[in-house]
Amino acid sequence: MSGAARSEADAAFARLASFTAEIPRLRWFAAVGTTLTPPMVAAAETYVAALGLVPCPVATVGSWHEAAAAAQRPDWSRDWWQAESVCEQALQRQAGARFGLEPLLAALTDVTDAAAGIRDQAAAALACAGLDDEALAKVAAGAAAQACHQQGLALLAGDSAGRAFAAKFTLFAAGRWPLGIVGGTCFVF
Amino acid sequence: MSATAAAPIKSVDALKAAPDDYQLAVRKIVRSHAVNELYGARVYDEPAIALAPTPYLKWLTCRIAMEEYGHHVRFRQLGEQMGIPESEMTPEGRKPLSIFEFPLKTWEEFCVVKLLADLAEIIQVEDLMKCSFLPLRNLAKVTMPEEIFHSQFGKDTCTELVRTEDGRKQVQAAINHYFPMMPAFFGKKDSANNALYRKYGIKQRTNEDMRADFLKRVRDLVEGHLKLKLPEVAEAA
């Protein structure tokens, strides 16, 4: 690896390490169910557009029960999930080509480890709403951990292809839970 | 120094003073759990995310995959403290249990794997919760709530699936496929390894006891609860 490439790799992994350190400090799910602010709506719109999907309305759901129900509706968008998968695979190829698969996977493992504690924050947020639902806490934590993984990939791939995941992560970092596209609407809890 | 259930070994440092065969026995168990937890996460949990039918179940499966991987990490960390080479605690180059040789094809299969294999895992971990090597006992205690959740997930999802005729057929087909591999999970009858584990209080029960317990509990689940058929299998491995 050349000196320039080494320095580029160091900078990218430093960015990722800083992101990883931030994960346990975020107030996960702290703003769920509240009114969506214009910046949150804009982030959701950016997320949808950056995935290359047709623009759609953005709406919120008001409770954990409604969030769980939305995530189980049969009319969820397969195109949305597929677009995320395609984007994720492209970022993994790019990041792997830049830095090698092994260092990439090691760094992403650190991200996943950092995200393991989000389940406790999800359970705490549920408890604030008077709910004790271990499965739903794990569903929310799984969604958040996936977003951490995707944002980690985006940071390492280092180009605009990761814009969708950056926008999605902005929503999580603001204490929301983007539920994806269901019935033609992008729902954010 | 003699290691018995009455004289537990409290730390990895104290393990160094234990008899060689005690150390070897503990190493085998830690290595086996580290390898199999990682195999399970790679072969079943990660591929199941794509097969899950809703975002809710996809995210829940993401979390389960993380937890299974986390179990591997915990066993591997204990193994590293004990001086087990990292290469011996990953599936590469190790012959897998037969169940890991069959790639997952459907969501129903995944639900059945959680129903059957995680119950088998619970029975193994229950035994380790009385282990004379306390770091392993503590690890079993930490792991157990997640194992119980995974097994319950298998029960809940299978219960939901069997409400339809097609779901019943698919769950039954998956049980027919995976269940015959399960008794071998518990090791051979009259196993010399198991005798050593029991001599030192590392494990409490014979392989046959654990297998019989599994068969009883799984029969209650499959025939009693799901109202499906459990295929006949040879009970001894």
Side-chain angles (χ1 to χ4, degrees), chain A residues 97-162:
Chain A
R98 282 179 85 190
F99 306 120
L101 196 56
E102 209 166 301
L104 172 71
L105 294 179
L108 291 172
T109 298
D110 292 342
V111 171
T112 305
D113 288 347
I118 298 174
R119 178 251 156 234
D120 294 347
Q121 294 202 41
L126 276 155
C128 281
L131 298 169
D132 176 12
D133 186 335
E134 180 62 13
L136 187 52
K138 290 191 183 211
V139 171
Q146 181 198 38
C148 291
H149 176 86
Q150 291 167 333
Q151 174 65 352
L153 268 178
L155 288 171
L156 285 178
D159 76 5
S160 60

Side-chain angles (χ1 to χ4, degrees), chain A:
Chain A
M1 194 182 270
S2 70
R6 166 67 58 201
S7 143
E8 183 195 338
D10 287 348
F13 282 107
R15 270 197 307 275
L16 189 72
S18 156
F19 166 70
T20 304
E22 188 68 16
I23 291 171
R25 293 200 286 263
L26 291 172
R27 296 180 64 238
W28 295 93
F29 310 108
V32 292
T34 57
T35 306
L36 281 178
T37 60
M40 293 298 99
V41 174
E45 287 169 348
T46 301
Y47 167 57
V48 173
L51 285 174
L53 299 170
V54 178
C56 62
V58 175
T60 190
V61 296
S63 70
W64 283 95
H65 288 311
E66 287 175 38
Q72 295 177 86
R73 273 172 53 174
D75 57 344
W76 61 278
S77 167
R78 275 69 176 168
D79 288 346
W80 152 65
W81 191 272
Q82 178 65 13
E84 276 207 353
S85 298
V86 167
C87 186
E88 213 174 304
Q89 285 160 19
L91 291 173
Q92 179 148 338
R93 276 195 303 275
Q94 283 172 35
R98 282 179 85 190
F99 306 120
L101 196 56
E102 209 166 301
L104 172 71
L105 294 179
L108 291 172
T109 298
D110 292 342
V111 171
T112 305
D113 288 347
I118 298 174
R119 178 251 156 234
D120 294 347
Q121 294 202 41
L126 276 155
C128 281
L131 298 169
D132 176 12
D133 186 335
E134 180 62 13
L136 187 52
K138 290 191 183 211
V139 171
Q146 181 198 38
C148 291
H149 176 86
Q150 291 167 333
Q151 174 65 352
L153 268 178
L155 288 171
L156 285 178
D159 76 5
S160 60
R163 222 156 44 91
F165 295 144
K168 180 181 176 180
F169 194 80
T170 299
L171 291 165
F172 272 111
R176 316 296 307 221
W177 177 7
L179 294 163
I181 298 175
V182 183
T185 296
C186 179
F187 284 104
V188 179
F189 178 31

Side-chain angles (χ1 to χ4, degrees), chain A residues 68 71-72 76 80-81 109 112 115-116 119 134-136 138-139 142-143 145-146 177 179, chain B residues 49-50 52-60 62-64 66-67 69 73 145-146 149-150:
Chain A
Q72 295 177 86
W76 61 278
W80 152 65
W81 191 272
T109 298
T112 305
R119 178 251 156 234
E134 180 62 13
L136 187 52
K138 290 191 183 211
V139 171
Q146 181 198 38
W177 177 7
L179 294 163
Chain B
I49 296 167
T54 63
Y56 181 99
L57 289 169
K58 286 177 185 293
W59 289 323
L60 185 51
C62 278
R63 176 67 198 186
I64 290 173
M66 281 174 70
E67 290 176 350
Y69 181 76
V73 170
E146 289 178 353
F149 182 87
H150 300 169

